[in-house]
Each structure stands twice: as structure tokens, then as C-alpha cells.
Amino acid sequence: MVAAYSLVTKFGAKQKDVAAVLGCSQATVANWVKEVGFQQQITGLQRELDDANEYIEELQHMLPPPEDDYIDGDYFQEENY
């Protein structure tokens, strides 16, 4: 998959030519290119989230503690009947 992605995106090979060399269909190569592209986006986003979390941890000591009605990432609201 990664080889197909690199051949198409980095070296400008046509998907049909890559498919012929790898012994698969052009549609398969197209799906691989798409999937590897998505994986790169996800990896990039994960790095951004990791960086943001490190920064947040540095700032956390400057914030007041959560309020009493804050439970696991959300605020608890009692329903009034």
C-alpha cells in the first residue's frame, strides 16, 4: 500500500501502471492511495493532539479546579421534576 502511494503521489506514476506492476486492479491502487493519505492525516492530527495535550498539561496548574458538578468531561445536571 505504501509503495503504491509513494509511486503515485511522490513519483507521479499512473495508478493503472502501478496496478500492472503490483498485479492488482487500478481500483485497488486508488483505494490504497486514499487509505494511506487518510492514515497520514490521522497521524498528523494525532501529533497535533499530543502537542496540544502537552501544552495543556503545562497550563493546567494555572486553572482553578473543576466545579463540583463536573464529572468525567461533562457537567452533570439534575433533572427537575
Side-chain angles (χ1 to χ4, degrees):
M1 281 182 12
V2 175
Y5 175 85
S6 291
L7 288 168
V8 171
T9 61
K10 305 292 183 203
F11 295 99
K14 294 182 179 179
Q15 290 179 0
K16 66 177 184 164
D17 296 333
V18 173
V21 169
L22 296 178
C24 60
S25 70
Q26 182 272 330
T28 297
V29 172
N31 286 334
W32 287 346
V33 169
K34 197 180 334 180
E35 185 173 336
V36 172
F38 289 150
Q39 289 174 357
Q40 280 190 315
Q41 290 176 345
I42 290 167
T43 301
L45 179 58
Q46 185 60 51
R47 279 190 214 117
E48 287 182 40
L49 288 170
D50 291 343
D51 291 345
N53 283 330
E54 286 178 21
Y55 182 61
I56 289 166
E57 287 175 13
E58 292 173 12
L59 298 177
Q60 188 174 14
H61 72 279
M62 299 157 93
L63 297 171
E67 297 177 15
D68 291 338
D69 58 351
Y70 182 79
I71 301 174
D72 293 329
D74 203 2
Y75 282 93
F76 175 74
Q77 295 178 349
E78 291 186 27
E79 294 182 23
N80 295 326
Y81 290 99

